[in-house]
């Protein structure tokens, strides 16, 4: 179901069962797979690939050249900047921000597939950061640019480095 109040660009491939609500804007050259829900006033830029059963919350921005795996949940007011990759089963909670070229990993160094990464409310992930498989990042956390998150971050604060450590 596509709302008459949605604006959809050219050359998109959109599965028949995708739900696109009022005020949604979709750029050009996107692939949006089966079961996707784009809630009110969300935005999908150009050249995005949105996997099966992904939900995008109200007022969320998926800037461009973004790729998601299946079964991701992007809550309201989330911003995902250019070039980000989300593996399957990622949960981005309300008002979080992922800087350009952030990547959530979906397997361990032992090639074991693990999904279920959670990034908390009001969290800022800096450009180029990498988040290991199945990591939980609590609310109100900042990860500096190019950070590597290899363990759960449970305490509010600012983290940076390879791997990240709390710096403030």
């Amino acid at each position: 179901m596509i709302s008459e109040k949605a604006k959809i660009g050219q050359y998109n491939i959109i599965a028949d069962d995708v739900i696109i609500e009022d005020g949604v804007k979709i750029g050009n050259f996107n692939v949006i797979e089966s079961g996707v829900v784009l809630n009110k006033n969300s935005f999908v830029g150009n050249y995005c690939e949105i996997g099966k059963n992904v939900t995008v919350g109200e007022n969320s921005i998926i800037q461009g050249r973004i790729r998601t795996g299946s079964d991701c949940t992007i809550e309201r007011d989330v911003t995902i900047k250019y070039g980000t990759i989300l593996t399957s089963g990622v949960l981005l909670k309300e008002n979080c921000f992922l800087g350009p070229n952030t990547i959530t990993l979906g397997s361990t160094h032992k090639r074991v597939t693990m999904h279920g990464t959670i990034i908390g409310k009001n969290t800022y992930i800096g450009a180029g950061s990498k988040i290991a498989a199945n990591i939980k990042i609590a609310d109100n956390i900042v990860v500096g640019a190019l950070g590597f998150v290899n363990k759960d971050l449970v305490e509010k604060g600012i983290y940076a480095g390879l791997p990240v450590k709390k710096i403030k």
Side-chain angles (χ1 to χ4, degrees):
M1 176 192 90
I2 298 176
S3 167
E4 291 179 11
K5 296 180 181 177
K7 294 182 181 178
I8 300 174
Q10 298 179 334
Y11 312 111
N12 293 296
I13 299 171
I14 301 174
D16 291 337
D17 65 344
V18 169
I19 297 172
I20 300 174
E21 294 187 349
D22 292 348
V24 171
K25 294 178 185 171
I26 299 173
N28 303 309
F29 305 102
N30 296 292
V31 177
I32 302 175
E33 294 188 32
S34 178
V36 170
V37 177
L38 300 173
N39 284 290
K40 291 180 182 176
N41 302 316
S42 57
F43 173 79
V44 177
N46 299 318
Y47 301 100
C48 294
E49 297 175 35
I50 301 177
K52 291 181 180 179
N53 303 316
V54 171
T55 299
V56 178
E58 288 185 32
N59 306 313
S60 290
I61 298 168
I62 299 175
Q63 194 175 50
R65 294 201 187 274
I66 307 294
R67 181 182 300 161
T68 76
S70 61
D71 303 308
C72 293
T73 301
I74 299 165
E75 293 184 352
R76 64 178 298 125
D77 301 311
V78 169
T79 298
I80 305 172
K81 298 298 269 185
Y82 195 88
T84 292
I85 299 172
L86 303 177
T87 57
S88 295
V90 171
L91 169 59
L92 302 178
K93 292 192 174 180
E94 186 176 318
N95 199 42
C96 75
F97 177 96
L98 275 59
N101 300 307
T102 296
I103 297 176
T104 62
L105 304 173
S107 60
T108 68
H109 66 286
K110 295 181 180 179
R111 298 183 183 163
V112 176
T113 299
M114 296 178 72
H115 299 297
T117 297
I118 298 173
I119 299 177
K121 291 181 182 180
N122 307 313
T123 297
Y124 178 93
I125 308 295
S129 293
K130 308 300 180 254
I131 301 168
N134 198 34
I135 291 294
K136 313 301 186 253
I137 298 176
D139 298 345
N140 304 305
I141 286 179
V142 173
V143 174
L146 302 174
F148 175 58
V149 182
N150 65 344
K151 62 184 176 197
D152 292 350
L153 302 180
V154 297
E155 187 179 340
K156 178 181 173 179
I158 299 172
Y159 295 78
L162 297 166
V164 297
K165 294 181 183 165
K166 187 171 184 189
I167 60 172
K168 189 171 180 182

